[in-house]
Every structure is written in structure tokens, then in C-alpha cells.
Amino acid sequence: MRTDQILTRLERVFARLDREPERPAHLQTPQMSRHRVVLLGSTLAFYLAIVVAVLTTSWLVRLDWQIMFFRPYEQWPQLHAFLDYLVVLGQRGPTAVMVAAWLGWRSWRQHTLRPLITLGVALLLLNITVGSVKLGLGRLGPHYATEIGSAELFAGGDIFPSGHTANAVVTWGILAYLASTVVTRRVLSVVSAVVSLSVGATTVYLGTHWVSDVLLGWSAGLLILLALPWFEPLIARAEAYVFEWRELLRRRAETGRMPAPVASALTPLLSAGGKWQLVRVVEPAGEPVPAPAAAAAQAAVPVGHTPAPRPAAVLSGRPHVIRSERTPVTPVGSRRPVHTERAAARGAAPRPVAGG
């Protein structure tokens, strides 16, 4: 009887991912080139310069206060409704869902988990780096400032650097990082730059961030994107681990549906009628033979019954001849038995036995 294996939805997804990529030439992994290392070093220097400028209450802090007193949301109130929606492009929850949906479709098309794992690694780095600096410096935002001209550091805030800006750089920039062609990478780089700059400027317009917050958020997000090639080996190992885990679960599920392994042999069993029967029991290849198989054969023999020894097999050089091909033999004489009592009663001598 033929039975078709019924796959679950998750198994169908992994079965599609097992196929060969449709566009293997487009799945090149970015490398840590000299140009990227120079950009990473320059961005890191800019990042540290912003932090030092805020810690020393330099001209950058004075610029923060000047723009805060300028109140852009009062200068251009007609933009307020539109920019309230635009700033959502920097919120972590909505942007992560949108980008994850797109990269999930990419993973389905290209039969690889690398886009989704890369997004997860980038967001993890974003939360660790930006979150630790936010909590460590504890800067208050413009709406909660207490002393004019102060940097408002170590006051229990979590505004520096701007999380909206850094999140916009990472989530939209990851699309350019994972682009399949050079042209697509350039177009998506421009789009992600425009979106991240717009989100950062919007937070300044709404008065939720200082200018220095936005500058540090841009550099923090760019540092993560530039450092991602260093994490490509980790991403590859994570993808391999996911598939190995899937294979382990599949083997466990298949083993659970299979019967217990039994010896693969012709085990002679004696039925209650005293006749020998040959019962074939099959076992998967490579499985160990359990000890209960021999005990089952002994338990089938009736108590008190000693089976007769079987004759040893005689091997002959001539071929075996079936019954219909054998030469018929005609017996000589009568095959009826001799009745000596009837012959003596009639007074006749008994006949000799034929062939005697």
C-alpha cells in the first residue's frame, strides 16, 4: 500500500529552502574591503567627536539650545500632521515588521535564510550599542531640559543618541546591504539615506531630540552597516545550525512514526499444530538487533513438545527436476496383498510375491 508523506507548513517552507538558488550569481556576500574599512574608521572618529563635544558642553550643545528655542514646529505648523506620520519610518516595531516581510519574501525566492538572519544580527547590534550609550549617558530631551545651556547628561534620560535615526539607518540600509545587483544597491542606498535623514530632521522639528542626538544616531547606524561583513561567518554558521536543527527534528519525527526495529531474518517459529512456519520480519538497515527477537521465537514452541531434528541439506551437482518432468516407473506384478488364509481354505498353494 502506498502512503504519501504529509508535510506541515513549516516543513514545506524548509523543503523549498532546500532547493538550489534560482539566481546564485546574485548571492554574493559583501567583503570587508579597504574602502569600507576607511569609511568605518572615519565614521567611528566622527562618532567619538560628537560624544566628546557633548561631554565638554562645546559649541554643539549651544547649537542644540538655539534650535530648541527656535521651535521649528511653531515656525511651520502646516508640516506637523505630515511629519507625525513620517517619523513612524524610524520606529523600531513598524519598520522591523515591514523590512522583515520583504526580506522573508527574498528568503523564499532565493532559498536562503541569510536575509532574515542578517536583519536579526543588525537589530541585535543596534539594541546593544545604542541602548548601552543611551542608558550610560542618561541625557534628557529638549522637552524635559532643566538648565539652559547644559548638556543635560547623567540625568536619567534615554535620548542620546537618537534611536529613531539609528533605527532608520539600519533597517532601511539593510535593504541596500542585501541588494542583489550593483544598480539596486546604489538606488536603495540613496533611498535609505533620504529616509534616515528625513526621520532625523523630523525628530528635531518635533522637538523630541537635540541636533547632536540625530548626528550621533546617524553615525551609530552607519557603523553597524559598515561592520556587518565581519559578522558574515557568524550568519553563515547560524543558517547552517538552523538547517541542522531542522534535520534533527525531521529524523526524530520519522523515527517516532516507524515501528520498533526487529531482526531482519527468516525466524523459524513452531505453531501450535506442530508444523514449521517461516515468518519474515524486516528491520531498517543499520539498526541493532534487539535481544527479545530470540525470546519470541522460543515462546512460540508448545510446552512439552520437542521438535524433530530437520535433515541436513544434501547438495547435488545435477539440476533439480520437478515432478512433472520425472520418468514414470511402472511396477512389476500385482500390487494387491497376498491373503494366505483364503488360499489355504481353497486348497491351493499360495502364489509367490512378485518381485520377491
Side-chain angles (χ1 to χ4, degrees):
M1 181 179 64
R2 178 182 178 181
T3 57
D4 296 333
Q5 184 181 5
I6 300 177
L7 300 178
T8 63
R9 182 175 299 179
L10 181 61
E11 289 175 343
R12 289 197 298 268
V13 171
F14 278 112
R16 182 176 178 87
L17 292 175
D18 280 340
R19 303 176 186 172
E20 290 297 327
E22 294 179 356
R23 297 175 297 175
H26 298 167
L27 299 178
Q28 297 179 358
T29 303
Q31 303 295 328
M32 204 65 186
S33 61
R34 186 187 302 271
H35 177 69
R36 185 181 289 269
V37 171
V38 172
L39 287 178
L40 179 65
S42 303
T43 306
L44 181 60
F46 181 77
Y47 183 97
L48 296 177
I50 297 297
V51 174
V52 172
V54 174
L55 288 175
T56 57
T57 315
S58 64
W59 62 270
L60 186 57
V61 177
R62 293 193 298 269
L63 178 63
D64 290 339
W65 280 98
Q66 290 175 1
I67 296 179
M68 182 265 188
F69 286 130
F70 181 71
R71 290 181 174 86
Y73 56 88
E74 293 182 356
Q75 302 297 327
W76 302 285
Q78 64 276 10
L79 299 177
H80 199 287
F82 170 73
L83 295 180
D84 270 340
Y85 290 102
L86 180 63
V87 78
V88 177
L89 296 178
Q91 290 183 0
R92 192 162 306 166
T95 55
V97 171
M98 289 186 289
V99 174
W102 170 259
L103 294 181
W105 183 82
R106 283 275 308 276
S107 296
W108 179 270
R109 291 286 297 173
Q110 296 179 349
H111 317 303
T112 175
L113 293 176
R114 177 175 170 263
L116 289 176
I117 298 178
T118 304
L119 175 64
V121 171
L123 293 180
L124 181 61
L125 293 174
L126 176 66
N127 292 332
I128 293 175
T129 56
V130 175
S132 60
V133 176
K134 276 176 174 288
L135 298 178
L137 296 179
R139 191 182 192 186
L140 295 176
H143 292 314
Y144 302 95
T146 57
E147 182 181 353
I148 297 177
S150 171
E152 301 294 336
L153 294 173
F154 311 109
D158 57 352
I159 207 74
F160 182 72
S162 171
H164 274 70
T165 306
N167 185 72
V169 173
V170 172
T171 52
W172 300 110
I174 202 71
L175 299 179
Y177 178 82
L178 295 172
S180 302
T181 61
V182 177
V183 177
T184 307
R185 183 176 298 110
R186 290 176 180 175
V187 172
L188 290 178
S189 298
V190 173
V191 172
S192 62
V194 171
V195 172
S196 58
L197 288 173
S198 301
V199 170
T202 300
T203 60
V204 176
Y205 168 87
L206 297 175
T208 57
H209 279 288
W210 307 99
V211 174
S212 55
D213 297 343
V214 175
L215 294 177
L216 196 65
W218 281 332
S219 56
L222 189 57
L223 281 175
I224 294 174
L225 290 179
L226 291 174
L228 271 181
W230 281 336
F231 296 89
E232 285 294 340
L234 176 64
I235 294 171
R237 287 196 298 269
E239 183 180 14
Y241 174 77
V242 170
F243 281 107
E244 290 177 1
W245 176 75
R246 186 277 313 267
E247 291 297 331
L248 177 61
L249 292 182
R250 174 181 293 179
R251 287 196 297 267
R252 287 184 178 178
E254 292 177 354
T255 306
R257 290 193 297 265
M258 292 174 58
V262 190
S264 175
L266 293 178
T267 307
L269 298 178
L270 188 64
S271 66
K275 296 181 179 180
W276 285 92
Q277 295 179 352
L278 294 180
V279 180
R280 175 183 290 273
V281 278
V282 183
E283 145 199 52
E287 297 290 339
V289 179
Q298 295 179 2
V301 180
V303 179
H305 184 278
T306 303
R310 305 184 66 178
V314 179
L315 299 180
S316 174
R318 59 183 181 179
H320 177 71
V321 181
I322 61 177
R323 186 179 184 87
S324 59
E325 297 177 354
R326 296 174 184 174
T327 305
V329 179
T330 305
V332 180
S334 176
R335 302 178 64 182
R336 296 178 60 184
V338 180
H339 300 279
T340 56
E341 296 85 357
R342 297 181 182 179
R346 296 177 183 177
R351 293 179 298 175
V353 180

